[in-house]
Amino acid sequence: MPGFLLAEAQLAFLGLGDPTLPSWGTLISSGRDYLDLAPWITVVPGFVLFLTILAFNFVGDAVLDAINPEAQTESEG
């Protein structure tokens, strides 16, 4: 899931998506023109995208540990 989110945001940032659909990549791309005056227009969607991808990674790791506890790495215990 995180890979799909990041790929969609990258494609939308490059303008290869549907411009009528809201996307984090579109928000980040549209804020490039205003970085000097209002950097939060680009920073906030980028940070939320980062947090969402991080959350999906943590949830995925927790689900994997719950389903197969023997698959944990040796460094974890």
Side-chain angles (χ1 to χ4, degrees):
M1 187 69 179
F4 290 124
L5 281 173
L6 191 58
E8 188 276 331
Q10 290 171 342
L11 292 173
F13 179 81
L14 295 173
L16 298 175
D18 187 0
T20 61
L21 296 176
S23 171
W24 281 318
T26 306
L27 290 172
I28 294 169
S29 178
S30 65
R32 288 185 302 176
D33 298 333
Y34 305 104
L35 278 175
D36 293 339
L37 300 173
W40 58 87
I41 295 174
T42 300
V43 171
V44 170
F47 187 67
V48 172
L49 178 63
F50 167 75
L51 288 179
T52 304
I53 290 173
L54 186 67
F56 272 113
N57 280 324
F58 283 149
V59 169
D61 288 343
V63 168
L64 180 64
D65 290 344
I67 291 173
N68 190 4
E70 295 172 0
Q72 293 179 356
T73 60
E74 293 180 18
S75 64
E76 291 180 358

